[in-house]
Amino acid sequence: MTSRQTIESGKAILGIEFGSTRIKAVLIDEEHKVIAQGSHSWENQLVDGLWTYSIEAIWYGLQDCYADLRKDVKEKYDTEIEILASIGISAMMHGYMAFNENDEILVPFRTWRNTNTGKAAKALSDLFYYNIPLRWSISHLYEAILDHEEHVKDIKFQTTLAGYIHWQLTGCKVLGVGDASGMMPVDPDTKTYNADMVEKFNKLIEPLGFDWTLMDIFPKVLVAGENAGFLTPEGARKMDISGHLKAGIPLCPPEGDAGTGMVATNAVKQRTGNVSAGTSSFSMIVLEKDLSKPYEPIDIVTTPDGSLVAMVHCNNCTSDINAWVNLFKEYQELMGIPVDMNEIYTKLFNKALEGDADCGGLMAYNYVSGEPITGLADGRPLFVRSANDKFNLANFMRTHLYGAIGVLKIGNDILLKEEHVKVDRITGHGGYFKTKGVGQRMLAAALSSPISVMETAGEGGAWGIALLAAYLINNKENRPLADYLEERVFAGDAGVEIAPTEEDVAGFNRYIESYKRGLAIEKTAVENK
């Protein structure tokens, strides 16, 4: 069947993911290959001290992204999307979206990037004896309670961004288990919110007299492969303003970007892991058993089918690199040289390979926003050097590539060195790995582990949620998700692997020790500028 026939016969599958800076849609065929795609760029806004995206931006972004997909289909195949086999919606995890009885949002969407939830996160971590990060939805909810926010008494439904969009498209208040595990802890046996912790939270807030308990307002949890509803006529119109898309299409459970990253890199089986490195970065290692104790830098979430995952999440990754690359772009424009951004990135990234293994003493902190793992509620991007350091372009680029994954290394050293977690395969994906072999080599040095990158990983989370939508309708044999991916999607493709060199590992270790000492500089910058 040709791609055009796949689309016209309604056998194509759609995945849409709302990332930090881009909304992306991919259309895949029955062989899980991408046959069309669309995108929309957007940015969060700092409003009244909190990072947000407006409801209007969410829907305009979805509609523009889908329109761009339709345009791609029209140009490639001269046809229109009328019906689809299935749809999946994914988005940035965590955050806070609370609605009243009229389905109106009570306060602007508070994204994962906000770090105003310190009191709540600490109190809940102590109450549950479980690490509850600042960005988790339960932290946002309890912080709003601690801050005596008037809207809390009116909450009828609270969800994530993916859960909100899915609800508006289907009418179903549900969430995939991976995304739900970033709202509050999930029990891997029951594959829903941890009942003991739910009870503790309800008792904690009982004296306040709200007319709701946690399960009254949280979405129902589903695992991969379960039906999560069907596209309604209203939902079809909200997504496709041209009116061509028909209702009745099944949707898989909405998932977070961590879960779709695991799927896109074939890393849902125990002892596998992946690193997503773009605007933010996080590593996901699928555990054989729970950790011996809670660690503040490590979140415990789940795969889309409910296995425990140790997650190290960093608020910052490539944004500061992008800012410096744009400076080089301005220089080229000033000199009248034609600008090709792909060429600039490729040449500068490859130049980093010529740098010293420890970056010649140079140091970079990529903190556009705060980093909870290193104890900073706010950020100041910094480049630091002393007079005798080896200041050249190669070391300059290398230190920014190291700096982008410095916090990631600090968190993973706990897993690999203290908890002795075993990992058979780690796969990288995201913009950090776009220049072949460079980001891979840096991460291999940071984690002292071989790193694989698959060609398909460039498709990212939108492809990952499309695969989950395919799993919903194609898994007639009831195979576990890991087996379906291994046998039906990847067919043994493990990607291209780069192993760390002793020199690079030793150099990164020297760099990270200097990095830790230099955090005092970053702290001072935050406090004084």
Coordinates of all heavy atoms in Angstrom, one line a residue, residues 250-316:
P250 N -10.3 6.3 17.6 CA -9.9 5.9 18.9 C -8.5 6.6 19.3 O -7.7 6.9 18.4 CB -9.6 4.4 18.8 CG -9.4 4.1 17.4 CD -10.2 5.2 16.6
L251 N -8.4 7.0 20.6 CA -7.2 7.6 21.1 C -6.6 6.7 22.1 O -7.3 6.1 22.9 CB -7.5 8.9 21.7 CG -7.4 10.1 20.7 CD1 -8.7 10.2 19.9 CD2 -7.1 11.4 21.4
C252 N -5.3 6.6 22.2 CA -4.5 5.9 23.2 C -4.4 6.8 24.4 O -4.7 8.0 24.3 CB -3.2 5.5 22.7 SG -2.0 6.8 22.5
P253 N -4.1 6.3 25.6 CA -3.9 7.1 26.8 C -2.9 8.2 26.5 O -1.9 8.0 25.9 CB -3.4 6.1 27.8 CG -3.9 4.8 27.4 CD -3.9 4.8 25.9
P254 N -3.3 9.5 26.9 CA -2.3 10.6 26.7 C -1.1 10.4 27.6 O -1.2 9.9 28.8 CB -3.1 11.8 27.2 CG -4.2 11.3 28.1 CD -4.5 9.9 27.6
E255 N 0.1 10.7 27.1 CA 1.3 10.4 27.8 C 2.2 11.6 27.9 O 2.0 12.6 27.2 CB 2.1 9.3 27.2 CG 1.8 7.9 27.8 CD 2.2 7.8 29.2 OE1 2.9 8.7 29.8 OE2 1.8 6.8 29.9
G256 N 3.1 11.6 28.8 CA 4.1 12.6 29.0 C 5.3 12.4 28.1 O 5.5 11.3 27.5
D257 N 6.1 13.5 27.9 CA 7.2 13.4 27.0 C 8.3 12.4 27.5 O 9.0 11.9 26.7 CB 7.9 14.8 26.8 CG 8.2 15.5 28.1 OD1 7.9 15.0 29.2 OD2 8.7 16.7 28.0
A258 N 8.4 12.1 28.8 CA 9.3 11.1 29.2 C 8.9 9.7 28.7 O 9.8 9.0 28.2 CB 9.4 11.1 30.8
G259 N 7.7 9.4 28.8 CA 7.2 8.1 28.3 C 7.4 7.9 26.8 O 7.8 6.9 26.3
T260 N 7.1 9.0 26.1 CA 7.2 8.9 24.6 C 8.7 8.8 24.2 O 9.0 8.1 23.2 CB 6.5 10.0 23.9 OG1 7.1 11.3 24.3 CG2 5.0 10.1 24.2
G261 N 9.5 9.4 25.0 CA 11.0 9.3 24.7 C 11.4 7.9 24.9 O 12.3 7.4 24.1
M262 N 10.9 7.2 26.0 CA 11.3 5.8 26.2 C 10.8 4.9 25.0 O 11.6 4.0 24.6 CB 10.7 5.3 27.5 CG 11.3 5.9 28.7 SD 10.7 5.1 30.3 CE 9.4 6.2 30.6
V263 N 9.6 5.2 24.6 CA 9.1 4.4 23.5 C 9.9 4.6 22.2 O 10.2 3.7 21.5 CB 7.6 4.7 23.2 CG1 7.1 4.1 22.0 CG2 6.8 4.2 24.5
A264 N 10.2 5.9 21.9 CA 10.9 6.2 20.7 C 12.3 5.7 20.6 O 12.9 5.6 19.5 CB 10.9 7.8 20.5
T265 N 12.9 5.3 21.8 CA 14.2 4.8 21.8 C 14.2 3.3 22.2 O 15.3 2.8 22.5 CB 15.1 5.6 22.8 OG1 14.4 5.7 24.1 CG2 15.3 7.0 22.3
N266 N 13.1 2.7 22.2 CA 13.0 1.3 22.6 C 13.6 1.0 23.9 O 14.4 0.1 24.1 CB 13.7 0.4 21.5 CG 13.3 -1.1 21.7 OD1 12.3 -1.4 22.3 ND2 14.2 -1.9 21.1
A267 N 13.2 1.9 24.9 CA 13.8 1.8 26.3 C 12.7 1.7 27.3 O 12.7 2.4 28.3 CB 14.7 3.0 26.5
V268 N 11.8 0.7 27.1 CA 10.8 0.4 28.2 C 11.0 -0.9 28.9 O 10.4 -1.2 29.9 CB 9.4 0.4 27.6 CG1 9.1 1.8 27.0 CG2 9.2 -0.7 26.5
K269 N 12.0 -1.6 28.5 CA 12.4 -2.9 29.1 C 13.3 -2.6 30.3 O 14.1 -1.7 30.2 CB 13.1 -3.8 28.1 CG 13.2 -5.3 28.5 CD 13.8 -6.1 27.4 CE 12.7 -6.5 26.4 NZ 13.1 -7.4 25.4
Q270 N 13.2 -3.5 31.3 CA 14.1 -3.3 32.5 C 15.6 -3.4 32.0 O 15.9 -4.1 31.1 CB 13.8 -4.3 33.6 CG 12.5 -4.1 34.2 CD 12.1 -5.1 35.3 OE1 12.9 -6.1 35.5 NE2 11.0 -4.9 36.0
R271 N 16.4 -2.6 32.7 CA 17.9 -2.5 32.4 C 18.2 -1.8 31.1 O 19.3 -1.9 30.6 CB 18.6 -3.9 32.5 CG 18.6 -4.5 33.8 CD 19.2 -5.9 33.8 NE 20.5 -5.9 33.4 CZ 21.6 -6.4 34.1 NH1 21.4 -6.8 35.4 NH2 22.8 -6.4 33.6
T272 N 17.2 -1.1 30.6 CA 17.5 -0.2 29.5 C 17.2 1.3 29.9 O 16.6 1.5 31.0 CB 16.6 -0.5 28.2 OG1 15.2 -0.2 28.6 CG2 16.7 -1.9 27.8
G273 N 17.8 2.2 29.2 CA 17.6 3.6 29.5 C 17.7 4.5 28.3 O 18.1 4.1 27.3
N274 N 17.3 5.7 28.5 CA 17.5 6.7 27.5 C 17.7 8.1 28.1 O 17.4 8.4 29.2 CB 16.2 6.8 26.5 CG 15.1 7.6 27.1 OD1 15.0 8.8 26.8 ND2 14.2 6.9 27.8
V275 N 18.3 8.9 27.3 CA 18.6 10.3 27.7 C 18.0 11.2 26.6 O 18.3 11.1 25.4 CB 20.1 10.6 27.8 CG1 20.3 12.1 28.0 CG2 20.7 9.9 29.0
S276 N 17.0 12.1 27.0 CA 16.5 13.1 26.1 C 17.1 14.4 26.4 O 17.1 14.8 27.6 CB 15.0 13.2 26.4 OG 14.4 14.2 25.6
A277 N 17.7 15.0 25.4 CA 18.5 16.2 25.7 C 18.1 17.2 24.6 O 18.5 17.2 23.4 CB 20.0 15.9 25.6
G278 N 17.3 18.2 25.0 CA 16.9 19.3 24.2 C 16.9 20.6 25.0 O 17.9 20.9 25.6
T279 N 15.7 21.3 25.0 CA 15.6 22.5 25.9 C 15.9 22.1 27.3 O 16.6 22.9 28.1 CB 14.2 23.1 25.7 OG1 14.0 23.3 24.3 CG2 14.1 24.4 26.5
S280 N 15.3 21.1 27.8 CA 15.6 20.5 29.1 C 16.2 19.1 28.8 O 16.3 18.7 27.7 CB 14.4 20.3 30.0 OG 13.4 19.4 29.3
S281 N 16.7 18.4 29.8 CA 17.2 17.1 29.6 C 16.8 16.2 30.8 O 16.5 16.7 31.9 CB 18.7 17.1 29.5 OG 19.3 17.4 30.8
F282 N 16.6 14.9 30.4 CA 16.3 14.0 31.5 C 16.8 12.6 31.0 O 16.8 12.3 29.9 CB 14.9 13.9 31.9 CG 13.9 13.8 30.8 CD1 13.6 12.5 30.2 CD2 13.2 14.9 30.3 CE1 12.7 12.4 29.1 CE2 12.3 14.8 29.2 CZ 12.1 13.5 28.7
S283 N 17.2 11.8 32.0 CA 17.6 10.4 31.8 C 16.5 9.5 32.4 O 15.9 9.9 33.4 CB 19.0 10.1 32.3 OG 19.0 10.2 33.7
M284 N 16.3 8.4 31.8 CA 15.3 7.4 32.3 C 15.9 6.1 32.3 O 16.3 5.6 31.2 CB 14.1 7.4 31.4 CG 13.5 8.8 31.0 SD 12.6 9.6 32.3 CE 11.2 8.5 32.5
I285 N 16.1 5.5 33.5 CA 16.6 4.1 33.6 C 15.5 3.2 34.2 O 15.0 3.5 35.3 CB 17.8 4.1 34.5 CG1 18.9 5.1 34.1 CG2 18.4 2.7 34.6 CD1 19.5 4.9 32.7
V286 N 15.1 2.2 33.4 CA 14.1 1.3 33.8 C 14.6 0.3 34.9 O 15.6 -0.4 34.6 CB 13.4 0.5 32.7 CG1 12.2 -0.3 33.1 CG2 13.0 1.5 31.5
L287 N 14.1 0.3 36.1 CA 14.7 -0.4 37.2 C 14.2 -1.8 37.3 O 13.1 -2.1 36.9 CB 14.3 0.3 38.5 CG 14.7 1.8 38.6 CD1 14.2 2.4 39.9 CD2 16.3 1.9 38.6
E288 N 15.1 -2.7 37.8 CA 14.7 -4.0 38.2 C 14.0 -4.1 39.5 O 13.2 -5.0 39.8 CB 15.9 -4.9 38.2 CG 16.6 -5.1 36.9 CD 17.8 -5.9 36.9 OE1 18.9 -5.4 37.4 OE2 17.8 -7.1 36.6
K289 N 14.3 -3.1 40.4 CA 13.7 -3.0 41.7 C 13.8 -1.6 42.2 O 14.5 -0.8 41.6 CB 14.4 -3.9 42.7 CG 15.9 -3.6 42.9 CD 16.5 -4.5 43.9 CE 18.0 -4.1 44.1 NZ 18.7 -5.0 45.1
D290 N 13.0 -1.3 43.2 CA 13.0 0.1 43.7 C 14.4 0.4 44.3 O 15.1 -0.5 44.7 CB 11.9 0.3 44.8 CG 11.4 1.7 44.9 OD1 12.1 2.6 44.3 OD2 10.4 2.0 45.5
L291 N 14.7 1.7 44.4 CA 15.9 2.2 45.0 C 15.9 1.9 46.5 O 14.8 1.8 47.1 CB 16.2 3.6 44.8 CG 16.2 4.0 43.3 CD1 16.5 5.5 43.1 CD2 17.3 3.2 42.5
S292 N 17.0 1.9 47.2 CA 17.1 1.6 48.6 C 16.5 2.7 49.5 O 16.1 2.4 50.6 CB 18.5 1.3 49.0 OG 19.3 2.5 48.9
K293 N 16.5 3.9 49.0 CA 15.9 5.0 49.7 C 15.6 6.2 48.8 O 16.1 6.2 47.6 CB 16.9 5.5 50.8 CG 18.2 6.0 50.2 CD 19.2 6.4 51.3 CE 20.5 7.0 50.7 NZ 21.4 7.4 51.8
P294 N 14.9 7.2 49.2 CA 14.6 8.3 48.3 C 15.8 9.2 48.2 O 16.6 9.3 49.1 CB 13.5 9.1 49.1 CG 13.0 8.2 50.2 CD 14.1 7.3 50.5
Y295 N 16.0 9.7 47.0 CA 17.1 10.7 46.7 C 16.4 11.9 46.1 O 15.6 11.8 45.1 CB 18.1 10.1 45.7 CG 18.9 9.0 46.2 CD1 18.5 7.7 46.0 CD2 20.1 9.2 46.9 CE1 19.2 6.6 46.5 CE2 20.9 8.1 47.3 CZ 20.4 6.8 47.1 OH 21.2 5.8 47.5
E296 N 16.8 13.1 46.6 CA 16.1 14.3 46.1 C 16.4 14.5 44.6 O 15.5 15.0 43.9 CB 16.6 15.5 46.9 CG 15.8 16.8 46.6 CD 16.2 18.0 47.5 OE1 16.7 17.7 48.6 OE2 15.9 19.1 47.1
P297 N 17.6 14.2 44.0 CA 17.8 14.5 42.6 C 17.1 13.4 41.7 O 17.1 13.6 40.5 CB 19.3 14.4 42.4 CG 19.9 14.5 43.8 CD 18.8 13.9 44.7
I298 N 16.5 12.4 42.3 CA 16.0 11.3 41.4 C 14.5 11.1 41.6 O 14.0 10.9 42.8 CB 16.7 9.9 41.8 CG1 18.2 10.1 41.4 CG2 16.1 8.8 41.0 CD1 19.1 8.9 41.9
D299 N 13.7 11.2 40.5 CA 12.3 11.0 40.6 C 12.0 9.6 40.2 O 12.7 9.0 39.3 CB 11.6 11.9 39.6 CG 12.0 13.3 39.6 OD1 12.7 13.7 40.6 OD2 11.7 14.1 38.7
I300 N 11.0 9.0 40.8 CA 10.6 7.6 40.4 C 9.3 7.8 39.7 O 8.3 8.2 40.2 CB 10.4 6.7 41.6 CG1 11.8 6.6 42.4 CG2 10.0 5.3 41.1 CD1 12.9 6.0 41.6
V301 N 9.3 7.5 38.4 CA 8.1 7.5 37.5 C 7.9 6.1 36.9 O 8.4 5.2 37.5 CB 8.2 8.6 36.5 CG1 8.2 10.0 37.1 CG2 9.5 8.5 35.6
T302 N 7.1 6.0 35.9 CA 6.9 4.7 35.3 C 7.0 4.8 33.8 O 6.9 5.9 33.2 CB 5.6 4.1 35.7 OG1 4.5 4.7 34.9 CG2 5.3 4.2 37.1
T303 N 7.2 3.6 33.2 CA 7.1 3.5 31.7 C 5.6 3.6 31.4 O 4.7 3.5 32.3 CB 7.6 2.1 31.3 OG1 6.8 1.1 31.9 CG2 9.0 1.9 31.6
P304 N 5.2 3.7 30.1 CA 3.8 3.8 29.7 C 3.0 2.5 30.0 O 1.8 2.5 30.0 CB 3.8 4.0 28.2 CG 5.1 4.8 28.0 CD 6.1 4.1 28.9
D305 N 3.8 1.4 30.4 CA 3.1 0.2 30.8 C 3.3 -0.1 32.3 O 2.9 -1.2 32.7 CB 3.5 -1.0 29.9 CG 5.0 -1.3 30.0 OD1 5.7 -0.5 30.5 OD2 5.4 -2.4 29.5
G306 N 3.8 0.9 33.0 CA 3.8 0.8 34.5 C 5.0 0.3 35.2 O 5.0 0.1 36.4
S307 N 6.2 0.0 34.5 CA 7.4 -0.4 35.2 C 8.0 0.9 35.9 O 8.0 2.0 35.3 CB 8.4 -1.0 34.3 OG 7.9 -2.2 33.8
L308 N 8.7 0.7 37.0 CA 9.4 1.8 37.7 C 10.6 2.3 36.9 O 11.3 1.5 36.3 CB 9.8 1.3 39.1 CG 8.8 1.1 40.2 CD1 9.4 0.6 41.5 CD2 7.9 2.4 40.4
V309 N 10.7 3.6 36.9 CA 11.8 4.2 36.2 C 12.5 5.3 37.1 O 11.8 6.1 37.7 CB 11.3 4.9 34.9 CG1 12.4 5.7 34.2 CG2 10.6 3.9 34.0
A310 N 13.8 5.3 37.1 CA 14.5 6.3 37.8 C 14.8 7.4 36.9 O 15.5 7.2 35.8 CB 15.8 5.8 38.4
M311 N 14.3 8.6 37.2 CA 14.4 9.8 36.3 C 15.2 10.9 36.9 O 15.0 11.3 38.0 CB 13.0 10.3 36.0 CG 12.9 11.5 35.1 SD 11.2 12.0 34.9 CE 11.3 13.2 33.6
V312 N 16.2 11.3 36.2 CA 17.0 12.5 36.6 C 16.6 13.6 35.6 O 16.8 13.5 34.4 CB 18.5 12.2 36.5 CG1 19.3 13.5 36.9 CG2 18.9 11.1 37.5
H313 N 15.9 14.6 36.1 CA 15.4 15.7 35.3 C 16.1 17.0 35.5 O 16.3 17.4 36.7 CB 13.9 15.9 35.6 CG 13.2 16.9 34.7 ND1 13.4 18.2 34.9 CD2 12.5 16.8 33.6 CE1 12.7 18.9 34.0 NE2 12.1 18.0 33.2
C314 N 16.6 17.6 34.5 CA 17.3 18.9 34.5 C 16.5 19.9 33.8 O 16.1 19.7 32.6 CB 18.7 18.7 33.9 SG 19.6 17.3 34.5
N315 N 16.3 21.1 34.4 CA 15.5 22.1 33.8 C 16.1 22.7 32.5 O 15.5 23.3 31.7 CB 15.2 23.2 34.8 CG 14.1 22.8 35.7 OD1 13.5 21.8 35.6 ND2 13.8 23.7 36.7
N316 N 17.5 22.6 32.4 CA 18.2 23.3 31.4 C 19.1 22.3 30.6 O 19.6 21.4 31.2 CB 19.1 24.4 32.0 CG 18.3 25.4 32.8 OD1 17.7 26.3 32.3 ND2 18.4 25.3 34.1

